[in-house]
Amino acid sequence: SSGINAEYGGDTVKKREMKELLSLDEMKEQCKGIANQRIPPDPLFDMVGKFYRWLFDTWDQDGERAKSTRSANDLSWKMERAKIKQAEDYMKPLFRSLRRKTLDETLLRSFGTIAGAILNQDYIAANDQYLKTAIGNAAWPIGVTMVGIHARTGREKLFAHNVAHVLNDEVQRKYLQAIKRLMTFAQRYFPTDPSKCVEYNA
């Protein structure tokens, strides 16, 4: 929708105007290396922003197309539109920090890994990375970081990878929730082998 495109610096379009979006394969080509941990941050900001904006716009358009097949009083459609609108609001700060290249690099690379898994239609891997990002290693006993003569270095590495604080930051918690909804949509919209799918409704 226009809000997302404007927020990330894309072309402003009239609200709900349908535009031609890239296919999954075309986006995969444009985002080559998005999950590569050695890619420099600068191009990664652009790729991550482009990917999530594309996925959101795909969801938004799918919701609009569904409107023509539903009655005006269809509650499930109204709930889906409400989710899309809420996700749009939740994603705005993320797109702003990507555009300004101020997003924490650990989160940037985590979101790149999630994006790469979605592009490969490996929703199990995407969900695993999502959980690592949301929960981190918070459940690990503190003693695990104190073992060995190089405990300080190991502990610092663990804490650098542990981004569990994301759930304590209201803005980050919200855009992480929006990314989870995008993952759920992607699995439905770009179906694949059940062995690579998450049973969200189980």
Side-chain angles (χ1 to χ4, degrees):
S1 84
S2 57
I4 288 292
N5 278 284
E7 190 58 50
Y8 192 64
D11 296 330
T12 302
V13 294
K14 290 179 181 178
K15 191 158 184 65
R16 303 307 170 210
E17 178 184 320
M18 290 292 187
K19 58 175 184 170
E20 189 173 346
L21 296 173
L22 296 178
S23 69
L24 179 66
D25 286 339
E26 287 170 332
M27 181 53 63
K28 195 181 294 186
E29 185 65 27
Q30 290 211 4
C31 291
K32 269 185 176 177
I34 196 169
N36 185 342
Q37 294 300 305
R38 291 190 294 275
I39 191 172
D42 202 54
L44 192 55
F45 280 109
D46 293 332
M47 276 198 286
V48 169
K50 180 185 292 185
F51 170 79
Y52 286 105
R53 186 179 66 187
W54 165 80
L55 187 55
F56 177 85
D57 286 347
T58 303
W59 184 25
D60 189 35
Q61 282 197 10
D62 183 63
E64 280 299 298
R65 279 192 292 268
K67 183 179 181 180
S68 62
T69 63
R70 308 286 180 88
S71 72
N73 297 318
D74 190 314
L75 186 59
S76 65
W77 180 82
K78 287 183 176 180
M79 288 174 65
E80 186 73 2
R81 290 307 313 167
K83 284 182 182 179
I84 293 171
K85 178 63 177 72
Q86 185 182 61
E88 179 177 28
D89 292 339
Y90 284 4
M91 293 288 280
K92 283 180 180 179
L94 174 61
F95 282 102
R96 189 179 301 119
S97 62
L98 287 166
R99 191 183 69 239
R100 295 174 180 173
K101 303 187 189 306
T102 57
L103 182 68
D104 175 82
E105 188 177 334
T106 304
L107 285 176
L108 175 67
R109 294 193 181 281
S110 290
F111 294 158
T113 300
I114 292 171
I118 292 173
L119 286 168
N120 289 325
Q121 293 170 275
D122 189 342
Y123 303 111
I124 295 285
N127 193 60
D128 286 349
Q129 184 60 44
Y130 167 83
L131 291 174
K132 286 178 185 175
T133 306
I135 301 168
N137 299 314
W140 288 19
I142 191 66
V144 85
T145 68
M146 304 299 290
V147 177
I149 194 166
H150 301 298
R152 180 181 174 82
T153 304
R155 187 165 69 251
E156 286 170 352
K157 285 180 180 176
L158 263 181
F159 288 167
H161 190 64
N162 178 7
V163 288
H165 65 273
V166 72
L167 293 182
N168 296 322
D169 182 305
E170 185 67 9
V171 173
Q172 291 179 346
R173 184 187 66 79
K174 285 180 175 179
Y175 61 61
L176 197 65
Q177 181 181 335
I179 286 175
K180 182 63 181 290
R181 287 180 176 172
L182 287 171
M183 289 163 53
T184 306
F185 162 74
Q187 180 173 289
R188 173 174 61 80
Y189 195 78
F190 302 112
T192 189
D193 190 289
S195 67
K196 293 184 177 181
C197 293
V198 178
E199 295 183 42
Y200 287 115
N201 298 318

